[in-house]
PDB file of all heavy atoms in Angstrom:
ATOM      1  N   SER A 350      21.842 -10.978  -3.665  1.00 88.00           N
ATOM      2  CA  SER A 350      22.259 -12.043  -4.594  1.00 88.00           C
ATOM      3  C   SER A 350      22.008 -13.415  -3.994  1.00 88.00           C
ATOM      4  O   SER A 350      21.559 -14.335  -4.682  1.00 88.00           O
ATOM      5  CB  SER A 350      23.743 -11.885  -4.942  1.00 88.00           C
ATOM      6  OG  SER A 350      23.971 -10.706  -5.678  1.00 88.00           O
ATOM      7  N   LEU A 351      22.291 -13.568  -2.696  1.00 89.00           N
ATOM      8  CA  LEU A 351      22.043 -14.843  -2.033  1.00 89.00           C
ATOM      9  C   LEU A 351      20.555 -15.172  -1.999  1.00 89.00           C
ATOM     10  O   LEU A 351      20.147 -16.318  -2.214  1.00 89.00           O
ATOM     11  CB  LEU A 351      22.610 -14.815  -0.615  1.00 89.00           C
ATOM     12  CG  LEU A 351      24.128 -14.749  -0.481  1.00 89.00           C
ATOM     13  CD1 LEU A 351      24.518 -14.598   0.980  1.00 89.00           C
ATOM     14  CD2 LEU A 351      24.788 -15.986  -1.071  1.00 89.00           C
ATOM     15  N   LEU A 352      19.723 -14.163  -1.722  1.00 90.00           N
ATOM     16  CA  LEU A 352      18.279 -14.388  -1.654  1.00 90.00           C
ATOM     17  C   LEU A 352      17.701 -14.770  -3.005  1.00 90.00           C
ATOM     18  O   LEU A 352      16.894 -15.696  -3.108  1.00 90.00           O
ATOM     19  CB  LEU A 352      17.585 -13.121  -1.137  1.00 90.00           C
ATOM     20  CG  LEU A 352      17.748 -12.801   0.340  1.00 90.00           C
ATOM     21  CD1 LEU A 352      17.255 -11.392   0.644  1.00 90.00           C
ATOM     22  CD2 LEU A 352      17.003 -13.813   1.195  1.00 90.00           C
ATOM     23  N   THR A 353      18.097 -14.084  -4.052  1.00 85.00           N
ATOM     24  CA  THR A 353      17.523 -14.350  -5.374  1.00 85.00           C
ATOM     25  C   THR A 353      18.101 -15.597  -6.008  1.00 85.00           C
ATOM     26  O   THR A 353      17.512 -16.137  -6.943  1.00 85.00           O
ATOM     27  CB  THR A 353      17.755 -13.150  -6.307  1.00 85.00           C
ATOM     28  OG1 THR A 353      19.148 -12.841  -6.360  1.00 85.00           O
ATOM     29  CG2 THR A 353      16.996 -11.936  -5.803  1.00 85.00           C
ATOM     30  N   GLN A 354      19.239 -16.085  -5.522  1.00 77.00           N
ATOM     31  CA  GLN A 354      19.821 -17.313  -6.060  1.00 77.00           C
ATOM     32  C   GLN A 354      18.970 -18.524  -5.716  1.00 77.00           C
ATOM     33  O   GLN A 354      19.023 -19.539  -6.384  1.00 77.00           O
ATOM     34  CB  GLN A 354      21.241 -17.506  -5.512  1.00 77.00           C
ATOM     35  CG  GLN A 354      21.963 -18.753  -6.002  1.00 77.00           C
ATOM     36  CD  GLN A 354      22.214 -18.728  -7.501  1.00 77.00           C
ATOM     37  OE1 GLN A 354      22.172 -17.668  -8.105  1.00 77.00           O
ATOM     38  NE2 GLN A 354      22.469 -19.879  -8.082  1.00 77.00           N
ATOM     39  N   GLY A 355      18.154 -18.416  -4.678  1.00 63.00           N
ATOM     40  CA  GLY A 355      17.382 -19.569  -4.235  1.00 63.00           C
ATOM     41  C   GLY A 355      15.982 -19.630  -4.783  1.00 63.00           C
ATOM     42  O   GLY A 355      15.129 -20.329  -4.245  1.00 63.00           O
ATOM     43  N   THR A 356      15.693 -18.901  -5.843  1.00 61.00           N
ATOM     44  CA  THR A 356      14.342 -18.916  -6.386  1.00 61.00           C
ATOM     45  C   THR A 356      14.015 -20.249  -7.041  1.00 61.00           C
ATOM     46  O   THR A 356      14.866 -20.921  -7.587  1.00 61.00           O
ATOM     47  CB  THR A 356      14.160 -17.797  -7.423  1.00 61.00           C
ATOM     48  OG1 THR A 356      15.103 -17.998  -8.479  1.00 61.00           O
ATOM     49  CG2 THR A 356      14.393 -16.436  -6.799  1.00 61.00           C
ATOM     50  N   PHE A 357      12.752 -20.591  -6.988  1.00 54.00           N
ATOM     51  CA  PHE A 357      12.278 -21.774  -7.685  1.00 54.00           C
ATOM     52  C   PHE A 357      10.803 -21.608  -7.979  1.00 54.00           C
ATOM     53  O   PHE A 357      10.154 -20.714  -7.468  1.00 54.00           O
ATOM     54  CB  PHE A 357      12.514 -23.051  -6.860  1.00 54.00           C
ATOM     55  CG  PHE A 357      11.829 -23.040  -5.520  1.00 54.00           C
ATOM     56  CD1 PHE A 357      10.563 -23.575  -5.373  1.00 54.00           C
ATOM     57  CD2 PHE A 357      12.458 -22.481  -4.424  1.00 54.00           C
ATOM     58  CE1 PHE A 357       9.935 -23.562  -4.148  1.00 54.00           C
ATOM     59  CE2 PHE A 357      11.825 -22.469  -3.187  1.00 54.00           C
ATOM     60  CZ  PHE A 357      10.570 -23.016  -3.045  1.00 54.00           C
ATOM     61  N   GLY A 358      10.276 -22.472  -8.820  1.00 50.00           N
ATOM     62  CA  GLY A 358       8.873 -22.364  -9.200  1.00 50.00           C
ATOM     63  C   GLY A 358       8.743 -22.116 -10.677  1.00 50.00           C
ATOM     64  O   GLY A 358       9.508 -21.361 -11.273  1.00 50.00           O
ATOM     65  N   ALA A 359       7.760 -22.743 -11.306  1.00 47.00           N
ATOM     66  CA  ALA A 359       7.625 -22.679 -12.757  1.00 47.00           C
ATOM     67  C   ALA A 359       7.030 -21.358 -13.225  1.00 47.00           C
ATOM     68  O   ALA A 359       7.424 -20.831 -14.249  1.00 47.00           O
ATOM     69  CB  ALA A 359       6.755 -23.847 -13.236  1.00 47.00           C
ATOM     70  N   VAL A 360       6.064 -20.817 -12.482  1.00 48.00           N
ATOM     71  CA  VAL A 360       5.376 -19.607 -12.929  1.00 48.00           C
ATOM     72  C   VAL A 360       5.745 -18.424 -12.042  1.00 48.00           C
ATOM     73  O   VAL A 360       6.303 -17.440 -12.503  1.00 48.00           O
ATOM     74  CB  VAL A 360       3.852 -19.821 -12.918  1.00 48.00           C
ATOM     75  CG1 VAL A 360       3.139 -18.556 -13.374  1.00 48.00           C
ATOM     76  CG2 VAL A 360       3.479 -20.994 -13.826  1.00 48.00           C
ATOM     77  N   ILE A 361       5.427 -18.503 -10.752  1.00 54.00           N
ATOM     78  CA  ILE A 361       5.747 -17.437  -9.817  1.00 54.00           C
ATOM     79  C   ILE A 361       6.910 -17.894  -8.948  1.00 54.00           C
ATOM     80  O   ILE A 361       6.778 -18.830  -8.164  1.00 54.00           O
ATOM     81  CB  ILE A 361       4.538 -17.081  -8.933  1.00 54.00           C
ATOM     82  CG1 ILE A 361       3.363 -16.639  -9.803  1.00 54.00           C
ATOM     83  CG2 ILE A 361       4.902 -15.995  -7.938  1.00 54.00           C
ATOM     84  CD1 ILE A 361       2.102 -16.358  -9.029  1.00 54.00           C
ATOM     85  N   GLN A 362       8.035 -17.259  -9.099  1.00 76.00           N
ATOM     86  CA  GLN A 362       9.184 -17.626  -8.294  1.00 76.00           C
ATOM     87  C   GLN A 362       8.970 -17.200  -6.853  1.00 76.00           C
ATOM     88  O   GLN A 362       8.381 -16.164  -6.578  1.00 76.00           O
ATOM     89  CB  GLN A 362      10.447 -16.969  -8.845  1.00 76.00           C
ATOM     90  CG  GLN A 362      10.846 -17.500 -10.226  1.00 76.00           C
ATOM     91  CD  GLN A 362      12.139 -16.880 -10.704  1.00 76.00           C
ATOM     92  OE1 GLN A 362      12.410 -15.726 -10.418  1.00 76.00           O
ATOM     93  NE2 GLN A 362      12.923 -17.646 -11.417  1.00 76.00           N
ATOM     94  N   HIS A 363       9.476 -17.995  -5.937  1.00 84.00           N
ATOM     95  CA  HIS A 363       9.341 -17.653  -4.536  1.00 84.00           C
ATOM     96  C   HIS A 363      10.444 -18.317  -3.730  1.00 84.00           C
ATOM     97  O   HIS A 363      11.102 -19.246  -4.196  1.00 84.00           O
ATOM     98  CB  HIS A 363       7.970 -18.069  -3.993  1.00 84.00           C
ATOM     99  CG  HIS A 363       7.699 -19.540  -4.096  1.00 84.00           C
ATOM    100  ND1 HIS A 363       7.319 -20.142  -5.261  1.00 84.00           N
ATOM    101  CD2 HIS A 363       7.756 -20.521  -3.167  1.00 84.00           C
ATOM    102  CE1 HIS A 363       7.143 -21.445  -5.059  1.00 84.00           C
ATOM    103  NE2 HIS A 363       7.402 -21.691  -3.790  1.00 84.00           N
ATOM    104  N   ILE A 364      10.676 -17.807  -2.528  1.00 89.00           N
ATOM    105  CA  ILE A 364      11.646 -18.379  -1.607  1.00 89.00           C
ATOM    106  C   ILE A 364      10.929 -18.743  -0.320  1.00 89.00           C
ATOM    107  O   ILE A 364       9.847 -18.243  -0.039  1.00 89.00           O
ATOM    108  CB  ILE A 364      12.811 -17.406  -1.327  1.00 89.00           C
ATOM    109  CG1 ILE A 364      12.287 -16.058  -0.829  1.00 89.00           C
ATOM    110  CG2 ILE A 364      13.668 -17.216  -2.569  1.00 89.00           C
ATOM    111  CD1 ILE A 364      13.378 -15.058  -0.478  1.00 89.00           C
ATOM    112  N   GLU A 365      11.553 -19.608   0.464  1.00 92.00           N
ATOM    113  CA  GLU A 365      10.937 -20.109   1.684  1.00 92.00           C
ATOM    114  C   GLU A 365      11.799 -19.762   2.897  1.00 92.00           C
ATOM    115  O   GLU A 365      13.011 -19.534   2.773  1.00 92.00           O
ATOM    116  CB  GLU A 365      10.752 -21.630   1.593  1.00 92.00           C
ATOM    117  CG  GLU A 365       9.762 -22.076   0.523  1.00 92.00           C
ATOM    118  CD  GLU A 365       8.340 -21.646   0.804  1.00 92.00           C
ATOM    119  OE1 GLU A 365       8.027 -21.343   1.979  1.00 92.00           O
ATOM    120  OE2 GLU A 365       7.531 -21.603  -0.134  1.00 92.00           O
ATOM    121  N   PRO A 366      11.202 -19.727   4.096  1.00 94.00           N
ATOM    122  CA  PRO A 366      11.960 -19.424   5.315  1.00 94.00           C
ATOM    123  C   PRO A 366      13.166 -20.342   5.521  1.00 94.00           C
ATOM    124  O   PRO A 366      14.227 -19.876   5.979  1.00 94.00           O
ATOM    125  CB  PRO A 366      10.921 -19.611   6.419  1.00 94.00           C
ATOM    126  CG  PRO A 366       9.618 -19.294   5.769  1.00 94.00           C
ATOM    127  CD  PRO A 366       9.754 -19.820   4.366  1.00 94.00           C
ATOM    128  N   ALA A 367      13.020 -21.624   5.212  1.00 93.00           N
ATOM    129  CA  ALA A 367      14.134 -22.559   5.407  1.00 93.00           C
ATOM    130  C   ALA A 367      15.327 -22.171   4.544  1.00 93.00           C
ATOM    131  O   ALA A 367      16.489 -22.283   4.966  1.00 93.00           O
ATOM    132  CB  ALA A 367      13.686 -23.986   5.080  1.00 93.00           C
ATOM    133  N   PHE A 368      15.061 -21.719   3.330  1.00 92.00           N
ATOM    134  CA  PHE A 368      16.140 -21.286   2.455  1.00 92.00           C
ATOM    135  C   PHE A 368      16.827 -20.043   3.011  1.00 92.00           C
ATOM    136  O   PHE A 368      18.057 -19.949   3.046  1.00 92.00           O
ATOM    137  CB  PHE A 368      15.618 -20.997   1.055  1.00 92.00           C
ATOM    138  CG  PHE A 368      16.590 -20.262   0.190  1.00 92.00           C
ATOM    139  CD1 PHE A 368      17.694 -20.903  -0.344  1.00 92.00           C
ATOM    140  CD2 PHE A 368      16.425 -18.907  -0.057  1.00 92.00           C
ATOM    141  CE1 PHE A 368      18.618 -20.219  -1.117  1.00 92.00           C
ATOM    142  CE2 PHE A 368      17.334 -18.212  -0.827  1.00 92.00           C
ATOM    143  CZ  PHE A 368      18.428 -18.866  -1.368  1.00 92.00           C
ATOM    144  N   VAL A 369      16.031 -19.061   3.475  1.00 94.00           N
ATOM    145  CA  VAL A 369      16.611 -17.853   4.064  1.00 94.00           C
ATOM    146  C   VAL A 369      17.472 -18.218   5.263  1.00 94.00           C
ATOM    147  O   VAL A 369      18.574 -17.688   5.447  1.00 94.00           O
ATOM    148  CB  VAL A 369      15.502 -16.859   4.476  1.00 94.00           C
ATOM    149  CG1 VAL A 369      16.089 -15.669   5.225  1.00 94.00           C
ATOM    150  CG2 VAL A 369      14.729 -16.388   3.250  1.00 94.00           C
ATOM    151  N   GLY A 370      16.990 -19.162   6.073  1.00 95.00           N
ATOM    152  CA  GLY A 370      17.743 -19.581   7.249  1.00 95.00           C
ATOM    153  C   GLY A 370      19.067 -20.234   6.916  1.00 95.00           C
ATOM    154  O   GLY A 370      20.000 -20.213   7.737  1.00 95.00           O
ATOM    155  N   SER A 371      19.198 -20.805   5.725  1.00 92.00           N
ATOM    156  CA  SER A 371      20.430 -21.510   5.345  1.00 92.00           C
ATOM    157  C   SER A 371      21.510 -20.581   4.800  1.00 92.00           C
ATOM    158  O   SER A 371      22.646 -21.002   4.603  1.00 92.00           O
ATOM    159  CB  SER A 371      20.107 -22.566   4.281  1.00 92.00           C
ATOM    160  OG  SER A 371      19.749 -21.953   3.040  1.00 92.00           O
ATOM    161  N   LEU A 372      21.175 -19.319   4.569  1.00 92.00           N
ATOM    162  CA  LEU A 372      22.138 -18.403   3.962  1.00 92.00           C
ATOM    163  C   LEU A 372      23.257 -18.058   4.938  1.00 92.00           C
ATOM    164  O   LEU A 372      23.026 -17.839   6.126  1.00 92.00           O
ATOM    165  CB  LEU A 372      21.432 -17.118   3.516  1.00 92.00           C
ATOM    166  CG  LEU A 372      20.342 -17.285   2.454  1.00 92.00           C
ATOM    167  CD1 LEU A 372      19.735 -15.931   2.108  1.00 92.00           C
ATOM    168  CD2 LEU A 372      20.895 -17.953   1.211  1.00 92.00           C
ATOM    169  N   PRO A 373      24.495 -17.992   4.448  1.00 93.00           N
ATOM    170  CA  PRO A 373      25.631 -17.680   5.333  1.00 93.00           C
ATOM    171  C   PRO A 373      25.690 -16.202   5.676  1.00 93.00           C
ATOM    172  O   PRO A 373      25.313 -15.344   4.878  1.00 93.00           O
ATOM    173  CB  PRO A 373      26.833 -18.095   4.480  1.00 93.00           C
ATOM    174  CG  PRO A 373      26.383 -17.891   3.067  1.00 93.00           C
ATOM    175  CD  PRO A 373      24.926 -18.254   3.053  1.00 93.00           C
ATOM    176  N   ILE A 374      26.169 -15.900   6.869  1.00 95.00           N
ATOM    177  CA  ILE A 374      26.403 -14.519   7.299  1.00 95.00           C
ATOM    178  C   ILE A 374      27.624 -14.508   8.212  1.00 95.00           C
ATOM    179  O   ILE A 374      27.711 -15.307   9.149  1.00 95.00           O
ATOM    180  CB  ILE A 374      25.171 -13.916   8.006  1.00 95.00           C
ATOM    181  CG1 ILE A 374      25.435 -12.469   8.417  1.00 95.00           C
ATOM    182  CG2 ILE A 374      24.752 -14.756   9.196  1.00 95.00           C
ATOM    183  CD1 ILE A 374      24.204 -11.737   8.942  1.00 95.00           C
ATOM    184  N   PRO A 375      28.595 -13.657   7.945  1.00 95.00           N
ATOM    185  CA  PRO A 375      29.798 -13.604   8.800  1.00 95.00           C
ATOM    186  C   PRO A 375      29.476 -13.061  10.190  1.00 95.00           C
ATOM    187  O   PRO A 375      28.592 -12.224  10.356  1.00 95.00           O
ATOM    188  CB  PRO A 375      30.734 -12.645   8.044  1.00 95.00           C
ATOM    189  CG  PRO A 375      30.214 -12.611   6.640  1.00 95.00           C
ATOM    190  CD  PRO A 375      28.728 -12.787   6.759  1.00 95.00           C
ATOM    191  N   ASN A 376      30.206 -13.548  11.172  1.00 96.00           N
ATOM    192  CA  ASN A 376      30.075 -13.038  12.546  1.00 96.00           C
ATOM    193  C   ASN A 376      30.986 -11.812  12.665  1.00 96.00           C
ATOM    194  O   ASN A 376      32.115 -11.886  13.122  1.00 96.00           O
ATOM    195  CB  ASN A 376      30.485 -14.118  13.543  1.00 96.00           C
ATOM    196  CG  ASN A 376      30.199 -13.710  14.969  1.00 96.00           C
ATOM    197  OD1 ASN A 376      29.652 -12.643  15.233  1.00 96.00           O
ATOM    198  ND2 ASN A 376      30.579 -14.561  15.918  1.00 96.00           N
TER     199      ASN A 376
END
Side-chain angles (χ1 to χ4, degrees):
S350 294
L351 293 175
L352 287 168
T353 55
Q354 180 64 19
T356 60
F357 60 92
V360 180
I361 301 176
Q362 293 183 326
H363 60 281
I364 55 178
E365 294 294 340
F368 167 74
V369 174
S371 69
L372 298 180
I374 181 172
N376 187 3

